[in-house]
Amino acid sequence: MLLTRRVEFSASHVCRIPSLDEASNKRLFGEAANPNGHGHNYIVEVTVEGEPDPITGMVIDLKELKEIIDEEVLVPMDHRFLNYEVQPFDRIIPTAENVASEIWSRLDVRLRHSSAALHKVRLFETADLYVDVTGEAA
Amino acid sequence: MIAITRRYHFSASHRLHSPELSDAENARIYGKCNNPYGHGHDYTLEVTVSGPADPKTGRIVALEDLDALVSEQVLSLFSGRNLNLDVAQFQSLVASTENIVLVIRDLLLANWNSYLGRGAARLSRVHVQETARNSFEIAVAARSEQTESKYKLESEYVSR
């Protein structure tokens, strides 16, 4: 059984490759290359997979899931400039793909000790753009 | 596995009518959708591209190039049009959303390499929302022929 929790955080980012010139960055990343950055209201849907516990009827303790998401995603990322304030985005460009993969890695480690396994992370950067990360082989 | 999905919007009109059925059968099967003058929808198209993310750019696909592909090869044909009258593929094909999904998949596959090159990014899903209640999608298999193949999959189309 799958269970999905949705959270939102707001953050700024900039997508640039420092070794490339302005024109190349503009061509690659468009408006997202603006050196001073810009922001999004990111929406994260965290889907876990497990069987309901025969006693509690729950796939996972939602308090526990909420705390994990708070600690790994919302506290470090909400109202932050991802490139300057959240590792590893000082070294890795915070594209939607990389932010989604980082959220997957952070949650996956924590949920390994839980009753439910991480199944999918869906990150909306805007209403018209989202990234899915799953544990399946490509 | 990582995949990115981009949403696009177009408005178009269509009429569900099969020349292989009688007028009475068309009316019975398609109901309101068989109205002779057609009717319209605000369609939402989701195009999903599967990874991996390029280690240098952090991206699966250059969104500008994907936008150009979808805009020039799909939206320019569909947006603001009467699908039955203005889109060649629906001259001989019922303009059901099932068929719209298949036609869009083929248009994307046929033009994929010329817009996006022969990199690792591949089309993995096409999803079309016709109304808030109806949506249709097709998964595109990894080994699908992602070349400039000719438009030739008519047998697969739904022509009920």
Side-chain angles (χ1 to χ4, degrees), chain A residues 47-68:
Chain A
T47 303
V48 299
E49 181 173 23
E51 290 308 315
D53 180 275
I55 295 165
T56 66
M58 302 195 300
V59 169
I60 188 170
D61 179 347
L62 284 177
K63 271 200 317 299
E64 181 197 350
L65 182 60
K66 180 178 183 299
E67 280 166 14
I68 291 174

Side-chain angles (χ1 to χ4, degrees), chain A residues 17 28-30 93 95 97-98 101 127-134 136 138, chain B residues 1-7 9 46 53 56-61 63-64 125:
Chain A
I17 298 177
L28 262 177
F29 297 109
I93 305 168
T95 57
E97 291 93 325
N98 282 342
S101 295
D128 288 335
L129 184 75
Y130 63 83
V131 171
D132 287 330
V133 182
T134 66
E136 291 165 34
Chain B
M1 204 277 295
I2 179 161
I4 190 157
T5 299
R6 187 88 148 149
R7 282 190 181 146
H9 305 273
E46 292 189 359
K56 197 173 84 173
T57 63
R59 302 200 311 186
I60 295 170
V61 64
L63 290 177
E64 292 76 8
R125 172 178 163 271

Side-chain angles (χ1 to χ4, degrees), chain B residues 6-58:
Chain B
R6 187 88 148 149
R7 282 190 181 146
Y8 303 91
H9 305 273
F10 64 91
S11 303
S13 62
H14 72 161
R15 179 197 184 200
L16 299 186
H17 182 89
S18 171
E20 289 168 38
L21 301 171
S22 70
D23 286 353
E25 284 173 315
N26 269 299
R28 183 177 56 77
I29 291 170
Y30 295 124
K32 280 196 285 192
C33 300
N34 186 239
N35 168 27
Y37 297 101
H39 63 280
H41 298 289
D42 293 315
Y43 293 91
T44 300
L45 164 65
E46 292 189 359
V47 176
T48 301
V49 182
S50 289
D54 180 283
K56 197 173 84 173
T57 63

